Amino acid sequence: MELTPHQLKAHDGTDPSKPIYVAIRGRIYDVTSGKSFYGPGGSYCVFAGKDASRALAKMSKEESDVVPNLDGLTEKEIGVLDDWEKKFQAKYPIVGTVTSD
């Protein structure tokens, strides 16, 4: 399955009939089983329906960091992102990729 960023946004947990998705490095994970974290009001709800690569690398929950752009990240931050990606791969199914709008 391929989704544009606009289509991915529809999977942010606000519609209970749709699964919740978070993308990392363009790969979309179904995080619905972690609804208490990624659903509305959850501690990581800012990532839902988006590619959260930069925010995860920077350990940030700032809306402005919840983007796929990795430019200017340090080696340490890329390492942090690698760790997050491994955690997601172990815990959530990959359901597709993000394409450009």
Side-chain angles (χ1 to χ4, degrees):
M1 166 178 65
E2 292 185 343
L3 296 178
T4 65
H6 181 74
Q7 291 169 318
L8 180 62
K9 179 108 188 68
H11 295 275
D12 64 0
T14 54
D15 180 345
S17 70
K18 291 183 178 164
I20 302 171
Y21 294 158
V22 172
I24 302 175
R25 288 184 172 145
R27 276 193 215 98
I28 302 169
Y29 296 84
D30 183 338
V31 300
T32 309
S33 64
K35 191 178 197 156
S36 60
F37 298 109
Y38 300 101
S43 49
Y44 298 116
C45 65
V46 70
F47 302 150
K50 299 189 184 108
D51 187 314
S53 300
R54 185 176 198 83
L56 291 169
K58 295 179 75 163
M59 303 287 280
S60 166
K61 289 200 238 172
E62 293 296 318
E63 190 80 43
S64 59
D65 286 326
V66 187
V67 294
N69 183 341
L70 302 179
D71 293 348
L73 291 178
T74 65
E75 217 172 287
K76 184 177 181 206
E77 288 168 334
I78 293 294
V80 169
L81 180 58
D82 290 342
D83 289 345
W84 273 109
E85 200 168 20
K86 285 183 189 111
K87 284 178 187 149
F88 270 68
Q89 286 170 352
K91 199 168 182 180
Y92 304 114
I94 295 172
V95 294
T97 55
V98 182
T99 63
S100 52
D101 269 327

